[in-house]
Amino acid sequence: MSQDYLVRYVGGPLDGRVDTLSGLPETLKETVTHVHLHGGPKIVHHYDLHYAVEYGCEYRLRTGTDD
């Protein structure tokens, strides 16, 4: 029986979103890009991967101060 693996999103339009995977993925993307196309200008947000011991990993919104 495999344990669920949680992927959380912190900040920006995906804040609070939680994806549940059926197990530990072999690879995770270092960066996830989210694009808004809602009748206006295209807005792009980047989320960077961070590991969280308690539940799996999280993607945190990249801010202008992040390198």
Side-chain angles (χ1 to χ4, degrees), residues 14-25:
L14 298 181
D15 189 42
R17 176 178 169 171
V18 177
D19 291 338
T20 304
L21 307 177
S22 60
L24 177 65

Side-chain angles (χ1 to χ4, degrees), residues 5 7 21-28 57:
Y5 191 83
V7 179
L21 307 177
S22 60
L24 177 65
E26 288 186 28
T27 59
L28 288 167
C57 70

Side-chain angles (χ1 to χ4, degrees), residues 10-13 31-32 44-50 59-67:
V10 178
T31 301
V32 171
V44 179
H45 293 94
H46 299 281
Y47 290 83
D48 296 315
L49 178 65
H50 295 269
Y59 285 99
R60 296 180 192 161
L61 179 67
R62 183 185 300 167
T63 63
T65 60
D66 293 345
D67 289 318

